[in-house]
Amino acid sequence: MSGSTPDLPIVVLDALMPTAWRLVLNRRGSTVWEVNSPRGHYAVKLGHPIEATADWPAQPWTALAPAREGTVLLRLGHDRIAYGDWECGTWNFQPWYEGPDLHMLWEPCRRPGSSIEPHSGVALGCVEALAELHAKGWAHGDVQPAHFIIGPERTHLIDLALAQGGQVPEGYDFPYRGCLVHYEAPEISRSVLAIGKAEPTTAADVYALGASLLISATGWRAVEYPDDAPRPVQREAVASGRRRPVKAPGELGELIDAMLSHAPEDRPTIYEVGKALS
């Protein structure tokens, strides 16, 4: 707990009056906090711009991401959401969801010599969470294992800062420049390489979910490239279709293979994936 040091902006402290808070994630351009308060249990996100370095370009959009996500969550009808500006960028708070993420939950499946198979019910929960978003006309744009929280009653899909599908206030919006390349569909990688940006789609989300299920179940990325390869090299590998054979067990393997089809039109929709798992 950081109760003695006001690491959270005053505006957030005034809104939530927290009794305890802890830093969960501190990465380039953002921090995430778990906060307990009389109002409830919250995740608080703070964004600030990334300045250019010798090997990393400036990324001013990271300062806008929390507020952009806040507007998306409100558009989708979520409650207990607030967002705004602070001295270094923007912030939001939203309900905290308890549970492991997909990669963490399936860790026993990846142990050497393990006979534990990934549970299709867990995969179905992830599919249902993504299908709910698609049904509202939105694409997530940043599907990855860490963004599926497997709760006791349902699976929650989080981190919607890059989602596309409705109007976002111009002051908080920014172009979509792809996501974590491990989960990026070939057409997204090609567009980012060609023009520096892309358009998130539901088909690209299906690819990303297939890649998420694969790496969580087996530990293997969908596409082979050196671990330390620069992002353009990674994207070239994805765009060219240099995909590993899928070795996930049973029917899940066949389904993931279809989800990872190179051409978007060859992939099942998220609803077809759900039907196959059901």
Side-chain angles (χ1 to χ4, degrees):
M1 185 182 81
S2 298
S4 60
T5 305
D7 299 303
L8 295 171
I10 295 296
V11 63
V12 174
L13 294 173
D14 287 347
L16 293 180
M17 302 296 289
T19 56
W21 61 97
R22 71 179 182 94
L23 182 63
V24 176
L25 183 66
N26 185 7
R27 62 188 176 193
R28 293 174 60 87
S30 65
T31 55
V32 180
W33 302 77
E34 179 184 6
V35 173
N36 286 287
S37 90
R39 292 186 55 177
H41 196 181
Y42 288 92
V44 175
K45 299 185 179 182
L46 308 180
H48 57 86
I50 297 177
E51 297 182 0
T53 64
D55 55 0
W56 198 278
Q59 296 186 43
W61 65 268
T62 53
L64 303 176
R68 190 184 191 283
E69 182 185 33
T71 69
V72 171
L73 291 171
L74 289 175
R75 294 266 189 273
L76 291 168
H78 293 268
D79 55 11
R80 297 171 57 208
I81 307 294
Y83 66 89
D85 300 275
W86 68 298
E87 60 186 21
C88 295
T90 68
W91 58 270
N92 79 48
F93 64 72
Q94 56 187 281
W96 176 269
Y97 298 121
E98 290 288 356
D101 65 42
L102 174 63
H103 194 264
M104 185 185 305
L105 187 65
W106 278 1
E107 187 275 333
C109 305
R110 301 190 300 273
R111 294 173 186 166
S114 174
S115 60
I116 301 173
E117 293 192 359
H119 197 285
S120 61
V122 172
L124 180 59
C126 296
V127 169
E128 290 172 343
L130 184 56
E132 182 179 345
L133 181 68
H134 287 183
K136 294 180 178 179
W138 288 76
H140 188 280
D142 194 17
V143 170
Q144 55 179 278
H147 294 167
F148 292 97
I149 305 300
I150 318 301
E153 297 180 356
R154 58 160 296 173
T155 295
H156 299 277
L157 179 58
I158 63 170
D159 278 26
L160 276 77
L162 304 183
Q164 300 276 347
Q167 188 175 9
V168 173
E170 184 177 350
Y172 293 137
D173 206 6
F174 49 84
Y176 176 72
R177 296 180 175 87
C179 57
L180 191 57
V181 183
H182 300 345
Y183 313 104
E184 205 168 83
E187 65 273 17
I188 299 294
S189 287
R190 279 196 300 273
S191 182
V192 173
L193 287 168
I195 61 174
K197 59 183 181 179
E199 185 69 31
T201 65
T202 55
D205 280 353
V206 168
Y207 179 99
L209 178 55
S212 296
L213 294 169
L214 178 65
I215 201 169
S216 299
T218 68
W220 291 97
R221 294 192 301 265
V223 176
E224 185 173 4
Y225 44 76
D227 291 344
D228 58 352
R231 284 198 176 186
V233 174
Q234 295 178 8
R235 286 195 164 103
E236 289 285 0
V238 173
S240 68
R242 295 202 296 271
R243 185 161 67 82
R244 287 189 172 105
V246 174
K247 295 185 179 180
E251 294 181 358
L252 187 61
E254 296 178 11
L255 185 58
I256 291 173
D257 193 54
M259 296 168 74
L260 292 174
S261 294
H262 188 78
E265 62 271 18
D266 292 338
R267 297 170 205 149
T269 67
I270 196 64
Y271 311 108
E272 291 169 337
V273 175
K275 185 176 180 181
L277 285 171
S278 298

